Coordinates of all heavy atoms in Angstrom, one line a residue:
P227 N -12.9 13.9 4.1 CA -14.1 13.3 3.9 C -14.8 13.9 2.6 O -14.7 15.1 2.3 CB -14.9 13.5 5.1 CG -13.9 13.8 6.2 CD -12.7 14.4 5.4
P228 N -15.6 13.1 1.8 CA -16.3 13.8 0.7 C -17.2 14.9 1.1 O -18.0 14.7 2.2 CB -17.0 12.4 0.0 CG -16.2 11.2 0.6 CD -15.8 11.7 2.0
G229 N -17.4 15.9 0.4 CA -18.3 16.9 0.6 C -17.7 18.0 1.5 O -18.6 19.0 1.9
T230 N -16.6 17.9 1.9 CA -16.0 19.0 2.9 C -14.9 19.6 2.0 O -14.1 19.1 1.3 CB -15.3 18.3 4.0 OG1 -14.3 17.6 3.5 CG2 -16.4 17.6 4.8
D231 N -15.0 21.0 2.1 CA -14.1 21.9 1.4 C -12.8 22.0 2.2 O -12.9 22.0 3.5 CB -14.6 23.3 1.1 CG -15.8 23.1 0.1 OD1 -15.9 22.1 -0.6 OD2 -16.6 24.1 0.3
P232 N -11.6 22.2 1.7 CA -10.5 22.4 2.4 C -10.5 23.8 3.3 O -11.2 24.7 2.9 CB -9.4 22.5 1.4 CG -10.1 22.8 0.1 CD -11.4 22.2 0.2
A233 N -10.0 23.7 4.4 CA -10.0 25.0 5.3 C -9.3 26.1 4.7 O -8.3 26.0 4.1 CB -9.4 24.6 6.6
P234 N -10.1 27.2 4.6 CA -9.4 28.5 4.0 C -8.2 28.9 4.8 O -8.2 28.8 6.0 CB -10.5 29.5 3.9 CG -11.4 29.2 5.0 CD -11.3 27.6 5.1
A235 N -7.2 29.5 4.2 CA -6.2 30.0 4.8 C -6.5 31.2 5.7 O -7.3 32.0 5.3 CB -5.0 30.3 3.8
A236 N -5.8 31.4 6.9 CA -6.1 32.5 7.8 C -5.6 33.8 7.1 O -4.4 33.8 6.6 CB -5.4 32.2 9.2
P237 N -6.4 34.9 7.1 CA -5.9 36.1 6.6 C -4.7 36.6 7.4 O -4.6 36.7 8.6 CB -7.2 37.1 6.7 CG -8.0 36.5 7.8 CD -7.9 34.9 7.7
T238 N -3.9 37.3 6.6 CA -2.7 37.9 7.2 C -2.9 39.3 7.3 O -3.3 39.9 6.4 CB -1.4 37.5 6.4 OG1 -1.6 37.9 5.1 CG2 -1.1 36.0 6.4
A239 N -2.5 39.9 8.4 CA -2.6 41.3 8.7 C -1.5 42.0 7.8 O -0.4 41.5 7.8 CB -2.4 41.8 10.2
P240 N -1.9 43.3 7.3 CA -0.9 44.0 6.5 C 0.3 44.5 7.4 O 0.0 44.8 8.5 CB -1.6 45.1 5.9 CG -2.8 45.2 6.7 CD -3.2 43.9 7.3
P241 N 1.4 44.5 7.0 CA 2.5 44.9 7.9 C 2.3 46.4 8.1 O 1.8 47.3 7.4 CB 3.8 44.9 6.9 CG 3.3 44.8 5.4 CD 2.0 44.2 5.6
P242 N 2.7 47.0 9.4 CA 2.6 48.3 9.7 C 3.6 49.1 8.8 O 4.6 48.8 8.4 CB 2.9 48.4 11.2 CG 3.9 47.2 11.3 CD 3.4 46.2 10.3
P243 N 3.0 50.5 8.5 CA 3.8 51.4 7.7 C 5.2 51.8 8.6 O 5.2 51.8 9.6 CB 3.0 52.5 7.5 CG 1.9 52.6 8.6 CD 1.7 51.0 8.9
A244 N 6.2 51.9 7.7 CA 7.6 52.3 8.2 C 7.4 53.7 8.8 O 6.8 54.6 8.2 CB 8.5 52.3 7.1
P245 N 7.9 53.9 9.9 CA 7.9 55.3 10.6 C 8.8 56.3 9.8 O 9.8 55.9 9.2 CB 8.6 54.9 11.9 CG 9.4 53.8 11.8 CD 8.7 52.9 10.8
T246 N 8.1 57.4 9.6 CA 8.9 58.5 9.0 C 9.8 59.3 10.0 O 9.8 59.0 11.1 CB 7.9 59.4 8.3 OG1 7.0 59.9 9.4 CG2 7.1 58.7 7.4
G247 N 10.5 60.3 9.6 CA 11.4 61.1 10.3 C 10.8 61.9 11.3 O 11.3 62.1 12.4
G248 N 9.6 62.6 11.0 CA 8.8 63.4 11.9 C 7.5 63.1 12.1 O 6.9 62.2 11.4
A249 N 6.8 63.6 13.0 CA 5.4 63.4 13.3 C 4.5 64.4 12.7 O 5.1 65.3 12.0 CB 5.2 63.4 14.9
G250 N 3.3 64.2 12.8 CA 2.3 65.2 12.2 C 2.4 66.6 12.9 O 3.0 66.8 14.0
P251 N 1.7 67.6 12.2 CA 2.0 69.0 12.7 C 1.3 69.1 14.0 O 1.5 70.1 14.7 CB 1.4 69.8 11.6 CG 0.5 68.9 10.8 CD 1.0 67.4 10.9

Side-chain angles (χ1 to χ4, degrees):
T230 59
D231 298 333
T238 57
T246 58

